[in-house]
């Protein structure tokens, strides 16, 4: 039996919402379904999230934040800028590939939700490019990456690797040769970052 409504937290609601979305998909999942899964009234859910759209936005943000938090550890970690950049790009690709492969129903649902939540996605991309900027700026400071504008370089690296993290390319992530393609792109980007501008 579910705990009383007084102990209902936003986190519990978001966990239940993920399960409901997995089961019903974004088109059919309702706040009433979430409330039923929690054993509470839908009014109790609305006390935490004022609208269905707000709930969907929060669950999307939570999903994207999981990836960003893991990557932030790499960005702030030890190692050279090149090592951290390679590790960060690899971790991003692996995280996206695992999300798509391990739970395809939920991944498809989140693809729909991220299309609905442009602001949340924009913030996520800004967070990720900020992490890349930090790595590249530290590389510029050490002389490893002689780039004049680390933020511009970070945006370029993010865009250049889009095939390996943008959900619209998810079908390609298990194709033969994709790992070799990924390595070739990262190697090319590293060479570009480490070559002094003329």
């Amino acid at each position: 039996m579910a705990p009383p409504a007084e102990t209902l937290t936003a986190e519990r609601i978001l966990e239940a919402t993920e399960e409901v979305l997995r089961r019903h998909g974004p088109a059919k999942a309702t706040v009433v379904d979430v409330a039923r899964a929690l054993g509470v009234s839908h009014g109790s859910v609305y006390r935490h999230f004022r609208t269905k759209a707000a709930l969907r936005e929060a669950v999307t943000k939570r999903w994207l934040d999981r990836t960003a938090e893991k990557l932030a550890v790499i960005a702030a970690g030890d190692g050279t800028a090149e090592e951290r950049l390679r590790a960060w790009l690899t971790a991003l690709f692996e995280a996206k590939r695992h999300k798509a492969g391990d739970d395809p129903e939920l991944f498809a649902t989140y693809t729909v939700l991220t299309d609905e939540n442009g602001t949340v996605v924009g913030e996520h991309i800004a967070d990720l490019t900020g992490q890349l900027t930090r790595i590249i700026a530290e590389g510029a400071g050490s002389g490893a990456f002689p780039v004049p504008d680390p933020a511009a370089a970070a945006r370029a690296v993010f865009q250049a690797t889009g095939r390996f993290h943008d959900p619209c390319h998810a079908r390609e992530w298990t194709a033969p040769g994709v790992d070799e393609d990924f390595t070739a792109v990262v190697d090319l980007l590293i060479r570009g970052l480490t070559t002094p501008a003329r």
Side-chain angles (χ1 to χ4, degrees):
M1 182 170 156
E6 298 80 67
T7 63
L8 190 64
T9 63
E11 186 62 23
R12 282 189 59 228
I13 293 169
L14 293 174
E15 287 171 5
T17 302
E18 278 196 6
E19 198 50 48
V20 167
L21 286 166
R22 183 179 284 115
R23 227 180 2 246
H24 300 292
K28 294 182 180 174
T30 67
V31 174
V32 171
D33 293 326
V34 173
R36 189 177 301 123
L38 290 163
V40 300
S41 72
H42 66 281
S44 298
V45 175
Y46 282 125
R47 279 196 278 284
H48 290 270
F49 299 97
R50 298 185 64 150
T51 64
K52 179 180 177 180
L55 177 57
R56 289 164 73 103
E57 181 177 303
V59 81
T60 303
K61 182 177 184 330
R62 179 177 185 255
W63 184 68
L64 294 172
D65 285 350
R66 285 185 198 134
T67 301
E69 288 164 7
K70 290 175 185 171
L71 295 171
V73 172
I74 296 169
D78 296 328
T80 66
E82 179 179 336
E83 290 167 345
R84 284 184 293 138
L85 181 58
R86 284 183 186 278
W88 192 95
L89 291 168
T90 301
L92 176 60
F93 182 29
E94 287 303 313
K96 296 290 181 152
R97 185 158 50 179
H98 282 297
K99 284 182 178 183
D102 296 348
D103 199 344
E105 295 84 8
L106 199 56
F107 185 80
T109 293
Y110 279 119
T111 300
V112 171
L113 294 182
T114 55
D115 286 344
E116 290 176 4
N117 293 292
T119 302
V120 170
V121 172
E123 291 168 357
H124 176 65
I125 290 171
D127 183 12
L128 296 187
T129 54
Q131 291 179 28
L132 279 173
T133 299
R134 175 182 181 170
I135 295 168
I136 293 171
E138 289 176 13
S142 72
F145 296 153
V147 296
D149 185 345
R155 289 190 301 275
V157 167
F158 191 77
Q159 291 165 4
T161 56
R163 177 182 175 211
F164 308 102
H165 55 77
D166 187 320
C168 73
H169 294 283
R171 287 190 182 122
E172 301 170 34
W173 297 342
T174 56
V178 72
D179 291 306
E180 292 80 4
D181 291 348
F182 172 77
T183 300
V185 168
V186 173
D187 287 347
L188 181 66
L189 291 169
I190 296 288
R191 280 196 302 276
L193 288 169
T194 56
T195 303
R198 292 181 181 181

